[in-house]
């Protein structure tokens, strides 16, 4: 089969990179559509994935909106050269590609704040399945299927995660304990109106945590000045970030994805931003119930909890046990994606391939569920 896969962000590259390798090893042809967003292209090159670049992104949300027609035209030009049998992606670009090329499409998402987009896209006859984690709290209609895992289990499930063992050398840290702190730029379309740590809180956090371990800061904004602080900028290749998370004593962040990644690697994770609260995403609630993640809407407990974790003698042992228990029944999402493609190849029907996949649970959305999602 010829499978189109959209990798619009670094997170999408990680989501699909193992599936791309497995599909190609199985004899399928994979056409990768890439957007120059963050380090996405660096990751594709690092993992040796051939790709078309159809768009670039800057930090201005307004520019992304105005560039959308050009991006869609570029996708259409690629589709005229590359005939596809199936499309995988996470949003409007992949839905557009499936529709204009009349190709069955599967969307994978965990973005509950923008679930309305997926409800709208599901009305395309070519978007034939919407896959989300079972912890996803919204209904997306009768095409909505769930799996017991997260999008991050595509690359951090124990069956697929491997380490090069080079991250400590890359960071020049030796065997010393270290903490990763990640600051969000809040420039995504899903971040409108959201906030994380203030400048004063960032400085206090770095100063306090530096008393207990070496601190590496990954600053998405690119403007944080670390001069005069005890912290060091995280400067290893972005493809090694999961190895850094696995080796770290702790992750503190006002961002999202890396929190889940740390939890799945058995590293304590503290998250604080304005997403936290009653309307928070289901995956963070599930990880908190499992004792792998702390979610705080306020700043004060961030520091006190971090200091407690860094001074406990049994933190590593406790978190590794909780990680093993949590992942024991979770889905290897890479195997699920590859399995869908293989079943479509045999049956010729994406509906049958999805419906009969034992890893998927169908959530039968009613018209009322769809209307409720639209209203929200």
């Amino acid at each position: 089969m010829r499978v189109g896969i959209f990798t619009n962000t670094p997170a999408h590259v990680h989501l699909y990179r193992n599936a791309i390798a497995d599909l190609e090893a199985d004899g399928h042809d994979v056409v990768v559509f890439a957007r120059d967003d963050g380090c996405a292209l660096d990751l594709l090159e690092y993992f040796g994935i051939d790709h078309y670049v159809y768009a670039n992104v800057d930090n201005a949300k307004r520019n992304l909106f105005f560039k959308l027609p050009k991006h869609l035209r570029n996708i259409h030009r690629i589709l005229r050269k590359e005939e596809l049998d199936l499309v995988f992606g996470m949003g409007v670009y992949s839905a557009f590609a499936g529709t204009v090329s009349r190709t069955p499409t599967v969307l994978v998402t965990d973005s509950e704040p923008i679930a309305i987009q997926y409800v709208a896209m599901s009305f395309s006859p070519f978007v034939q399945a919407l896959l989300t984690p079972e912890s996803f709290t919204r209904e997306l209609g009768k095409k909505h299927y769930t799996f017991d895992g997260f999008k991050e289990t595509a690359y951090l499930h124990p069956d697929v995660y491997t380490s090069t063992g080079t991250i400590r050398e890359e960071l020049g840290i030796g065997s010393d304990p270290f903490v990763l702190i990640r600051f969000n730029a809040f420039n995504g379309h899903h971040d409108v109106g959201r906030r994380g740590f203030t400048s004063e809180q960032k400085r206090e956090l770095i100063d306090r945590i530096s008393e207990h371990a070496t601190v590496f800061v990954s600053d998405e904004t690119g403007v944080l000045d670390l001069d005069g602080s005890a912290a060091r900028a995280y400067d290893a290749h972005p493809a090694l970030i999961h190895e850094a998370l696995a080796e770290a004593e702790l992750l503190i962040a006002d961002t999202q994805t890396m929190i889940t990644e740390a939890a799945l690697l058995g590293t304590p994770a503290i998250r604080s931003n304005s997403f936290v609260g009653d309307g928070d995403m289901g995956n963070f609630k599930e990880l908190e119930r499992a004792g792998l993640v702390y979610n705080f809407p306020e700043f004060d407990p961030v520091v006190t909890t971090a200091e407690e974790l860094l001074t406990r003698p049994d933190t590593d042992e406790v978190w590794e046990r909780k990680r093993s228990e949590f992942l024991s029944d979770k889905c290897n999402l890479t195997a699920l994606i590859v399995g869908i493609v293989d079943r479509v190849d045999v049956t010729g029907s994406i509906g049958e391939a999805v419906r009969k996949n034992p890893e998927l649970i169908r959530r039968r959305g009613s018209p009322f569920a769809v209307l409720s999602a639209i209203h929200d």
Side-chain angles (χ1 to χ4, degrees), residues 262-277:
L264 297 183
L265 290 165
T267 299
I270 299 174
R271 166 177 170 259
S272 181
N273 57 38
S274 60
F275 285 98
V276 176

Side-chain angles (χ1 to χ4, degrees), residues 188-201:
H189 55 83
H190 51 279
D191 293 324
V192 175
R194 301 294 184 171
R195 65 186 185 282
F197 297 121
T198 66
S199 298
E200 293 76 15
Q201 290 168 344

